[in-house]
Amino acid sequence: MKFNLKRFIFFLAILLFIALFFVISRNVNTFGFLAISSFYFYILISFLFIYYYYPHVEDKPVLNEKNPPEIGVVTYAYNDFKPVIHTISSLKKLKYPRAFTIYVITDGTCAFLDNIKGVKRIVIDKKYFSKDKNIKAEIMNQGLKEIHEDLLLCLDGDTVVNNNALYEMVPMISDNIAVVNTLLVPENKTRFLEKLQLFEYYINWGMALRVLSSMNSISIPVGGLFLLKNKVFKELGGYDVNNITEDRELGYRILEKGYNIKFVSSAKSSTEIPKSIAEWSKQRMRWARGEMQTIFKHRKFFFNKKLGLFGTFVLPFTFFLQTIGIAMAFGLLFKYLSRTFINTIVFLIECIKEGFFYFALPSHIYFKSTIYLVVVSTILFMIYSVNAFHLSNFKFEFKHIIPFIVFSTFYVFMVGMIYILAIFLEMINFKQMVFKRKT
């Protein structure tokens, strides 16, 4: 890959920033540690405040059933992807006062769709399905050229849509609102890894989108399912085929053009999530590298007043919080493991000297600053989680306790390692891996 000095310096600066806070988190005193942690507390408290202060952010006008806008429902499938039938079955149950067509963009396969009433295949050249490209961006750009309805409900081939989705999402569209997202939750949630992702979808994304919607600061049409103005998509020239998270990059350009993206939780739908660590790692690496590509391409967005709260506050603050959060998490882990290892050796030596019934826990095996942080963080996180569950009508059961504990403690390290590796790979402009999608 061609060396890009600006790119290298940009991502090197981020890695050095993470390294700096990693060192600080290992050596800072109680006051300093709590001062740094206050950024984390601030975002949780702010989100909770906004959630309660703006209870009507999802309020919307009632759909005009006498003259509803024209809708086209769009998905894609190739290589005879049979599970798309499951998605189409849910789409045919959609309630809407006006007839609509379900478009499936294909590579010429999936002929079984021709026998389903209300479904139209859009066949495009197989060259757009090359594994060396961002397949979804390529085929959506080509396929949407043949679709002319005012609004497009776009979804992946493994998404199952709530039958009231159109009634809930369509009224949110207005002159300055170009995209409407809804709450997407995992369709498959039996394996332990799937349960971890279950909390990620409900806590990290559902609640966050609800709050960011009130601030006009959602920056992504969630690729699994979103409603979009067709004319805005074409005005922007479609997806960027050189970005591996095409939906995130499109979202930045939507905001740049002065449009907003909104969220409505009442149209909650489901999508398939990775079942194995290998699948999960590939997906998260694609997301992380795509985020880095988007941030580098649109770095002028940082502290840009023209983008409102998103440019002046949300983007720089959340990016800052994300990087120091990873640094502090790994700094704490290293600090605990190293101290625990040393103290264990000391303890064993004392046992040998004093006898094996000796027990005296060294006072420096724990750190008061860490205990303060853990207690306050746990309380805030629990309050935040309860509200997130309430928003999405999630029923927390006994079987969720262990996955929730693992999600709340260790999951951040899994995501953090991928995030740091993604920054490094983008810094050296390493050839993008081709991430196989199911559809």
Side-chain angles (χ1 to χ4, degrees):
M1 299 289 289
K2 185 178 179 181
F3 180 75
N4 185 317
L5 182 60
K6 287 184 179 179
R7 185 190 194 95
F8 181 85
I9 293 174
F10 180 82
F11 289 114
L12 177 61
I14 296 174
L15 288 176
L16 290 175
F17 186 75
I18 292 174
L20 173 64
F21 275 90
F22 173 80
V23 173
I24 290 174
S25 65
R26 291 174 51 206
N27 300 287
V28 74
N29 59 23
T30 301
F31 176 78
F33 199 83
L34 291 177
I36 296 172
S37 304
S38 65
F39 288 104
Y40 170 73
F41 301 150
Y42 177 76
I43 197 70
L44 282 180
I45 293 171
S46 297
F47 271 34
L48 287 169
F49 175 78
I50 293 170
Y51 176 72
Y52 283 106
Y53 192 74
Y54 295 96
H56 305 297
V57 69
E58 291 188 47
D59 288 356
K60 54 191 175 300
V62 177
L63 179 67
N64 182 357
E65 296 191 10
K66 293 183 179 180
N67 187 31
E70 194 176 20
I71 291 279
V73 180
V74 188
T75 188
Y76 58 96
Y78 50 94
N79 294 336
D80 269 326
F81 184 70
K82 295 293 194 301
V84 73
I85 294 178
H86 186 42
T87 297
I88 290 174
S89 296
S90 72
L91 292 174
K92 291 182 73 66
K93 296 176 184 177
L94 279 170
K95 299 175 182 178
Y96 198 64
R98 183 172 183 171
F100 59 87
T101 301
I102 300 171
Y103 298 97
V104 183
I105 304 171
T106 79
D107 57 351
T109 63
C110 304
F112 53 85
L113 297 174
D114 293 339
N115 299 321
I116 304 176
K117 186 179 179 181
V119 175
K120 179 180 178 181
R121 273 197 309 155
I122 296 179
V123 179
I124 62 175
D125 197 304
K126 288 191 175 183
K127 69 181 181 181
Y128 296 112
F129 293 83
S130 169
K131 292 183 179 180
D132 295 327
K133 300 178 179 180
N134 181 335
I135 295 178
K136 179 179 177 180
E138 290 274 7
I139 64 179
M140 290 294 281
N141 284 348
Q142 296 302 316
L144 291 183
K145 291 177 181 179
E146 301 183 32
I147 301 174
H148 306 289
E149 283 85 342
D150 298 332
L151 300 179
L152 305 175
L153 184 70
C154 303
L155 64 153
D156 288 340
D158 52 12
T159 297
V160 178
V161 184
N162 190 316
N163 60 11
N164 71 335
L166 292 177
Y167 265 91
E168 299 296 330
M169 298 172 77
V170 170
M172 292 287 283
I173 294 288
S174 65
D175 291 340
N176 68 326
I177 297 174
V179 174
V180 178
N181 288 322
T182 189
L183 178 63
L184 270 182
V185 298
E187 173 76 7
N188 47 310
K189 45 195 173 186
T190 55
R191 302 181 184 185
F192 191 80
L193 178 62
E194 295 167 354
K195 291 176 182 176
L196 293 181
Q197 295 172 81
L198 178 72
F199 293 117
E200 184 175 28
Y201 275 71
Y202 277 112
I203 297 174
N204 289 6
W205 298 339
M207 183 73 158
L209 288 176
R210 165 69 164 71
V211 172
L212 291 174
S213 183
S214 67
M215 302 167 71
N216 289 327
S217 294
I218 297 179
S219 59
I220 178 172
V222 179
L225 174 65
F226 64 93
L227 185 68
L228 169 72
K229 280 185 176 180
N230 197 352
K231 71 172 185 178
V232 172
F233 184 81
K234 291 173 180 176
E235 175 187 345
L236 295 173
Y239 287 122
D240 178 358
V241 298
N242 295 313
N243 189 299
I244 55 178
T245 49
E246 66 293 322
D247 45 4
R248 178 178 291 279
E249 196 282 329
L250 178 67
Y252 275 57
R253 285 186 284 132
I254 287 173
L255 294 181
E256 187 177 27
K257 280 289 185 179
Y259 297 106
N260 290 321
I261 301 173
K262 289 295 185 179
F263 170 78
V264 54
S265 61
S266 53
K268 182 173 71 173
S269 301
S270 60
T271 190
E272 187 175 336
I273 58 174
K275 300 180 178 66
S276 67
I277 287 292
E279 289 180 5
W280 179 86
S281 299
K282 289 179 180 180
Q283 183 194 63
R284 299 315 161 96
M285 181 59 75
R286 180 173 67 83
W287 287 0
R289 292 196 66 178
E291 179 183 355
M292 292 302 108
Q293 290 171 12
T294 301
I295 287 175
F296 176 71
K297 178 179 177 180
H298 298 287
R299 54 194 182 277
K300 64 181 180 181
F301 282 26
F302 282 88
F303 305 105
N304 190 330
K305 294 181 181 179
K306 294 180 181 179
L307 296 169
L309 274 176
F310 177 73
T312 56
F313 174 73
V314 172
L315 176 60
F317 187 82
T318 53
F319 185 68
F320 172 74
L321 187 69
Q322 196 170 350
T323 51
I324 68 168
I326 290 172
M328 289 181 64
F330 281 101
L332 268 178
L333 180 65
F334 181 86
K335 186 175 184 177
Y336 260 119
L337 291 178
S338 59
R339 291 288 184 89
T340 302
F341 177 74
I342 293 171
N343 288 329
T344 301
I345 292 176
V346 171
F347 178 71
L348 290 175
I349 292 174
E350 292 295 327
C351 283
I352 293 173
K353 289 171 57 180
E354 303 292 336
F356 284 96
F357 291 102
Y358 167 83
F359 181 80
L361 184 66
S363 60
H364 55 282
I365 198 168
Y366 64 91
F367 319 106
K368 291 182 180 179
S369 60
T370 304
I371 292 176
Y372 298 152
L373 173 64
V374 169
V375 171
V376 176
S377 299
T378 300
I379 293 173
L380 285 174
F381 183 70
M382 291 301 294
I383 295 173
Y384 183 87
S385 299
V386 168
N387 281 281
F389 295 153
H390 178 264
L391 171 69
S392 54
N393 297 316
F394 174 70
K395 185 179 180 182
F396 191 93
E397 300 176 358
F398 181 79
K399 64 182 179 181
H400 295 131
I401 294 177
I402 294 179
F404 181 72
I405 292 173
V406 173
F407 169 79
S408 306
T409 53
F410 299 107
Y411 195 74
V412 64
F413 297 105
M414 296 168 61
V415 175
M417 286 187 289
I418 289 178
Y419 187 81
I420 293 172
L421 179 58
I423 295 172
F424 175 76
L425 293 176
E426 288 302 312
M427 180 183 73
I428 63 175
N429 208 10
F430 188 76
K431 183 179 180 181
Q432 294 176 179
M433 292 179 286
V434 177
F435 297 93
K436 183 180 179 181
R437 303 194 189 201
K438 294 182 177 62
T439 54

